[in-house]
Amino acid sequence: MNVPFLDLKIQYQSLRDEINAALQEVMDHTAFAGGKYVERFEQSFASFCGTGHAVGVGNGTEALWVALIGLGVKPGDEVITVPNTFIATTEAISFSGATPVFVDVNEDTYNMDPDLLEAAITPKTKAIIPVHLYGQMADMGPIMEIARAHGLSVIEDASQAHGAEYKGKPAGSIGDAGCFSFYPGKNLGAYGEAGAVVTSNDDLAAKMRMFRDHGQAKKYYHDMVGWNARMDGFQGAVLDVKLKHLPAWTEGRRKNAALYNWQLTGIEGISTPVEAAYGKHVYHIYAIRTADSDGMMQALREQGIASGMHYPVPLHLQKAYQFMGHREGDFPVAEKCAAEQLSLPMYAELTEEQIAAVASAVKGYLA
Ligand SMILES: *Cc1c(COP(=O)(O)O)cnc(C)c1O
């Protein structure tokens, strides 16, 4: 049985008429760059996240960068994050002129370990970026407490966690700002590139809106040196249609994760994802751990089953960050996870038969 890692076509087929009509409307109104379809989505998404504002931007990497700029992070500052994330998190830090500082993660949730946070804070620290990896939120309670005690800003990297919750609070609503990617493969995916920053801070929202539009206070009057970081109209229209379906897709992902768990939890040689009692996991990625993840990936591939590795090399060991002088062993939990993790196919439309085929291939490889 053929099981792709992700299938964007089935989802499009189920929404075809709605999406096509929404795109046609954008063309009829020639609302291509920013404009009313982006504004409409911003309002729906802010309300989905329980925040006062959503600021649409070009992609998730830009969302992080715009939030850092908006919060006043500048050259010479330090920003604390984790080594087991997509490089966009630290690219945004680097391009704000600041230096990323890593702390290791909790071995159950793969998220920032709050017990290690305080030791990483220096007089230069300006902000903390917890990443809600794979769709599960970091332990925000202690992270916020430490941040407030030290006067630090918190930016949630919620690029993998649309609709996830921490003690009933939506992802993006707890920190000073929450950043989302709408890359096509994310839980809420555009038909192209898009991202957003959510916040309930009116001044921050106003500053980010100005920055993303060339620092304009009004047309051709520039109060600051900004950038072109606008979301395009087609993406706003598509995302507004898709947001209405996101809760159902999230339930589909959670049901599929439960089916995987039911067939794989307790099998010797692998461990399945741990859902922390504090929150709701939205399973952007369903990653298991096994000693020989390369071998298992190859065996699954031979049976027509795709899988992935998120992420094979932690950021502190990437060539791009070699100048920081880190070495193997600096962040042992992140390194161990990188070596052992294998992401199984995960999307709402996966069938029970496909999940059974994946689970049986995993068990077959171990046996
Ligand atoms: C996808 C992702 C990003 C970057 O988003 P883009 O839209 O691809 O720029 C940032 N952080 C994390 C954790 C991501 O998964």
Side-chain angles (χ1 to χ4, degrees):
M1 184 183 288
N2 206 55
V3 189
F5 189 68
L6 187 65
D7 190 338
L8 298 178
K9 273 191 199 145
I10 326 184
Q11 196 191 65
Y12 170 60
Q13 277 151 13
S14 76
L15 302 176
R16 201 187 164 92
D17 294 345
E18 260 182 291
I19 297 268
N20 291 5
L23 291 174
Q24 186 62 51
E25 215 181 310
V26 176
M27 288 185 278
D28 290 340
H29 289 91
T30 59
F32 298 129
K36 68 176 184 181
Y37 298 100
V38 170
E39 281 165 25
R40 191 162 74 187
F41 170 67
E42 286 175 335
Q43 282 166 13
S44 330
F45 195 64
S47 117
F48 177 81
C49 293
T51 54
H53 309 270
V55 180
V57 295
N59 56 63
T61 312
E62 206 162 60
L64 289 159
W65 181 61
V66 166
L68 285 160
I69 300 282
L71 286 163
V73 172
K74 55 185 191 314
D77 293 341
E78 290 177 355
V79 177
I80 299 174
T81 192
V82 291
N84 61 330
T85 173
F86 182 55
I87 194 167
T89 317
T90 51
E91 283 174 329
I93 298 170
S94 297
F95 270 78
S96 71
T99 306
V101 171
F102 296 116
V103 297
D104 212 348
V105 295
N106 174 287
E107 191 162 351
D108 287 332
T109 62
Y110 312 133
N111 281 326
M112 180 177 279
D113 185 343
D115 292 340
L116 303 174
L117 190 50
E118 207 127 31
I121 296 172
T122 76
K124 291 181 177 169
T125 309
K126 189 74 193 269
I128 304 171
I129 308 187
V131 178
H132 305 322
L133 201 72
Y134 302 157
Q136 169 151 258
M137 288 181 69
D139 193 359
M140 293 303 292
I143 292 172
M144 291 307 297
E145 209 169 291
I146 294 165
R148 293 304 178 234
H150 292 267
L152 307 174
S153 301
V154 175
I155 299 170
E156 298 174 55
D157 186 343
S159 297
Q160 305 187 359
H162 319 71
E165 290 174 8
Y166 178 83
K167 300 186 177 172
K169 289 189 183 143
S173 70
I174 300 177
D176 298 282
C179 298
F180 290 85
S181 163
F182 306 117
Y183 183 75
K186 300 289 162 85
N187 288 25
L188 179 62
Y191 282 9
E193 305 271 355
V197 188
V198 299
T199 182
S200 291
N201 177 330
D202 298 344
D203 295 337
L204 175 61
K207 192 170 167 196
M208 294 190 297
R209 280 187 208 289
M210 192 181 270
F211 180 79
R212 76 161 169 190
D213 193 22
H214 300 291
Q216 292 188 119
K218 59 182 184 182
K219 202 164 174 76
Y220 303 135
Y221 289 80
H222 309 271
D223 285 9
M224 62 159 95
V225 178
W227 197 257
N228 175 0
R230 295 181 300 250
M231 181 188 278
D232 87 58
F234 284 126
Q235 305 314 330
V238 166
L239 288 165
D240 201 50
V241 167
K242 289 185 67 175
L243 181 59
K244 300 181 181 78
H245 300 272
L246 181 60
W249 292 329
T250 297
E251 287 322 303
R253 286 174 180 272
R254 289 180 54 78
K255 183 181 133 250
N256 293 342
L259 284 171
Y260 272 133
N261 286 343
W262 178 60
Q263 291 170 83
L264 294 174
T265 303
I267 303 285
E268 197 175 338
I270 53 171
S271 52
T272 51
V274 174
E275 185 161 349
Y278 61 59
K280 177 175 171 184
H281 198 318
V282 296
Y283 293 99
H284 172 58
I285 297 282
Y286 182 94
I288 59 170
R289 280 168 59 191
T290 186
D292 180 18
S293 51
D294 291 303
M296 188 180 283
M297 186 180 221
Q298 179 58 28
L300 295 183
R301 189 182 301 130
E302 281 160 15
Q303 297 175 60
I305 296 168
S307 60
M309 283 178 185
H310 302 90
Y311 298 92
V313 181
L315 297 180
H316 66 286
L317 301 177
Q318 294 279 358
K319 227 184 226 173
Y321 282 107
Q322 218 167 31
F323 67 89
M324 291 177 72
H326 284 299
R327 52 180 66 211
E328 232 169 281
D330 283 358
F331 304 100
V333 181
E335 289 167 28
K336 190 167 168 220
C337 296
E340 295 181 352
Q341 274 174 344
L342 188 70
S343 313
L344 302 182
M346 173 51 81
Y347 47 94
E349 299 84 356
L350 268 180
T351 64
E352 284 187 33
E353 292 71 28
Q354 285 175 310
I355 292 169
V358 176
S360 112
V362 166
K363 288 190 267 195
Y365 175 73
L366 292 166

